[in-house]
Every structure is written in structure tokens, then in C-alpha cells.
Amino acid sequence: MHHEYNIVGGDFTRAGYASSQVKKILRNLDVDTAIIKRTVIAAYEAEVNIVAHAYNGIITLDIDADSIRIVLDDMGPGIEDIEQAMQEGYSTASDKVREMGFGAGMGLSNIKRNADELRINSEVGRGTQVEIVMYR
Amino acid sequence: MKVKDIVHLLDLTVYSGEQGLDREVTGGYVSDLLSDVMGRADTGQLWVTLQTHKNVMAIASLKDLSAVLLVNKQKPDANTAEQSNEEGIPILGTTMGAFEVTGKLYELIR
């Protein structure tokens, strides 16, 4: 099963829409509640990262009998130092984004804590790809 | 305890999402950092915050929270209230600050 969602950078009014669709799909498939909860946390944080940092992006969701795979591809500034970005509390978010309660440097660690597999590839000046895999 | 019981006992304002007043409140979470709530709040909890923008409802819905309680006379943005009505997750309000209202909530639902 394959689904795709387009994400527009900077449009916070739509942030979380793709993640809510992912949640609905997993619920309809009767995926275990604990797995849905972890998937939703990881998907939302990764979706918000595109909205907060990138110009635009595509989220793809692929589900088979064994796994749930979410790939988030964005065109954006990229991440210079992924290890540093993974540190809890580190953030490059703007003041505006922080005032909304985002950008506390907790997003990537939330993803890491909840995903069964996490891969991040990034090219400065081009964009970032985040791959999240959950085992069913 | 239901959301409507807490509304009555603490004399809270109901801004939106009235159809969700029968939701069961299983606990509470107090934070203004959205990733903190996303990562640590759990199903059925009542979220105490001063954030009023629409992303609050995205999180409340994704986490299946029972209600959102805005402190210090904060009111939800128009599109926040709209989404609360669509989701059936109430947004409540109080003149109390987070410390005071959380203390009272803790006595009610601990």
C-alpha cells in the first residue's frame, strides 16, 4: 500500500495533516495501538521539520505485512552536522517558530526514541531525506 | 471523570468542541513545548497550556487527548476553535495561571 503527501514549507496551518492521514490509515488496518502511537510521534515530528525548515517536501508511506515505512524528502537548506542536530536541545529554528512552542530541539530525539529504524541523509543547500521504519 | 465534570467543578469556560465534553479525562499534562507534549503526553490526558494556535489541535487530535485547557485568560485562535469543533476535542479556558489550575486539577483527577 502506497500513499504520498505534499508538504509546503512555512505553512504551519497544515502541519500535522499528513501525519493524521497516516494515523487514520494505520487505524483502518488495525495496526497495534502502541505501534500507531510511536509512528504518529515520529511522523509528526518529521513533518513539522519540513514545515519549519524546508521549502517543500514529499512524504511517502508504504505499508506491507511486516513494516511501515515513511520517507520524508525535502528541498531545503539541509543539515550541516547531523550528529549535532540529533542532540536534544539543539535547534536552528527561527524565533517565530520557537514562539509557537516548536524548535525546542526535541523533534529528532522524539523520532529516534520512537522509530524502530531511522536514517537521515542530507546535502547542504539541497535537502534532507528522513527514513522511518516501524516493525509491525 | 469527564471533561464536563471538570468544567463544572473548576468553573471553566468552554470555547469550542462541546460535543467532546463527555470524553473521559485519564490524567493531565502541562507544557507549552509542542514536541514535549507530542513525545510524552498520553491518550485521554487534559493538556494545560498557553499556546492558542492551530497546531495545538493537531497535537491534541494526534495524541487523542481529552481536552485542551488554556490558562491566564487565553483564547483560542479562530482556526484553532474551528478544528476543535471538527475533532470534537474541547478547548477550555480559565483566568487562573498554570500553577493554580494544575494544582486543582491534580486534586480532582490524580
Side-chain angles (χ1 to χ4, degrees):
Chain A
M1 190 186 278
H2 177 86
H3 296 269
E4 274 190 29
Y5 307 97
N6 287 307
I7 308 299
V8 180
D11 184 3
F12 276 95
T13 63
R14 297 266 299 168
Y17 176 77
S19 302
S20 71
Q21 296 305 110
V22 170
K23 181 183 168 191
K24 272 182 203 162
I25 289 164
L26 297 182
R27 272 202 176 159
N28 288 339
L29 291 172
D30 272 330
V31 173
D32 180 76
T33 310
I35 296 172
I36 296 179
K37 282 185 183 181
R38 288 194 290 120
T39 308
V40 163
I41 294 170
Y44 178 79
E45 294 290 3
E47 182 181 354
V48 165
N49 277 347
I50 296 180
V51 177
H53 297 285
Y55 313 121
N56 56 66
I58 295 172
I59 300 179
T60 58
L61 168 69
D62 287 281
I63 305 168
D64 62 26
D66 306 316
S67 66
I68 300 153
R69 183 179 304 269
I70 303 171
V71 179
L72 303 98
D73 253 309
D74 74 48
M75 286 175 64
I79 304 169
E80 215 160 296
D81 184 339
I82 292 174
E83 207 176 307
Q84 185 181 38
M86 291 299 298
Q87 285 171 17
E88 191 151 61
Y90 181 82
S91 176
T92 57
S94 66
D95 288 349
K96 181 195 154 224
V97 169
R98 287 172 201 257
E99 277 166 25
M100 293 173 79
F102 292 111
M106 301 170 79
L108 285 174
S109 33
N110 265 354
I111 299 174
K112 197 177 178 190
R113 203 177 296 123
N114 288 284
D116 290 322
E117 287 177 34
L118 168 64
R119 276 179 288 277
I120 304 174
N121 289 300
S122 191
E123 197 180 331
V124 174
R126 294 288 293 272
T128 300
Q129 185 186 69
V130 175
E131 184 182 7
I132 294 163
V133 181
M134 311 296 296
Y135 308 136
R136 294 181 66 180
Chain B
M1 182 166 290
K2 293 184 170 179
V3 175
K4 66 179 175 194
D5 301 323
I6 292 169
V7 168
H8 175 70
L9 289 165
L10 298 186
D11 194 20
L12 305 175
T13 307
V14 179
Y15 288 118
S16 56
E18 282 88 352
Q19 71 270 41
L21 288 172
D22 277 327
R23 280 173 176 263
E24 196 67 29
V25 181
T26 57
Y29 201 79
V30 188
S31 184
D32 302 319
L33 294 178
L34 305 195
S35 285
D36 180 32
V37 180
M38 200 61 215
R40 295 204 169 83
D42 207 354
T43 305
Q45 291 182 338
L46 186 148
W47 176 14
V48 180
T49 185
L50 49 70
Q51 298 286 358
T52 58
H53 54 83
K54 197 184 168 195
N55 297 273
V56 166
M57 285 317 302
I59 287 177
S61 164
L62 284 167
K63 300 292 287 185
D64 293 310
L65 304 180
S66 51
V68 176
L69 172 54
L70 305 180
V71 298
N72 288 333
K73 300 180 195 169
Q74 297 287 330
K75 290 178 184 150
D77 298 354
N79 58 4
T80 312
E82 207 174 290
Q83 200 183 339
S84 151
N85 288 328
E86 281 165 21
E87 305 275 357
I89 300 176
I91 299 179
L92 315 172
T94 179
T95 55
M96 287 181 267
F99 178 77
E100 192 182 351
V101 80
T102 300
K104 289 177 195 264
L105 275 168
Y106 185 77
E107 288 302 320
L108 288 176
I109 60 182
R110 64 177 165 162

